[in-house]
Amino acid sequence: AYNKIKSEKTLTMGTSADFAPFEFPVVKNGKKTYNGFDIMVANQIAKDMGVKLKVQNMQFSSLIGELQNNKVQMVMAGMTATKERRKAVDFSKPYYTESESLLVRKSDANKYTTQASTKGAS
Ligand code: ARG
């Protein structure tokens, strides 16, 4: 994959752009591009390698197969490194783990206990 990336000066990334804020489509002047956290990280990786990033959008369920077929050279799709998937492909160290939280005033703690309870809140 590395030689192909270098010779074509392009890093082709597979993603499933239905997972904002990690990857989502952006339509600009009738042209569809992709943006999000994963796309930004991938762009930096391509930049560090001195190549261009090409984003190939596909079904989430096709990503591993298309990586195995060499259709794409890497996948970034907010994909969890499960034991099952680790049998098929090689995952990097995790680049994102979540601990961000929504916060409200202590006095409202009992008011907003579920996602539904925040409906119509101001
Ligand atoms: N983290 C979950 C998984 O790996 C969901 C990822 C969904 N990502 C997407 N681009 N649709 O199964």
Side-chain angles (χ1 to χ4, degrees), residues 12-16 54 56 58 63 72-77:
T12 306
M13 158 196 181
T15 196
S16 173
K54 185 173 158 195
Q56 197 87 49
M58 61 184 76
L63 288 166
V72 297
Q73 277 110 35
M74 74 163 183
V75 167
M76 286 186 78

Side-chain angles (χ1 to χ4, degrees), residues 15-19 22-23 60 63 76-82 85:
T15 196
S16 173
D18 55 359
F19 196 54
F22 291 95
E23 40 267 331
F60 187 79
L63 288 166
M76 286 186 78
M79 193 183 286
T80 305
T82 62
R85 289 170 182 160

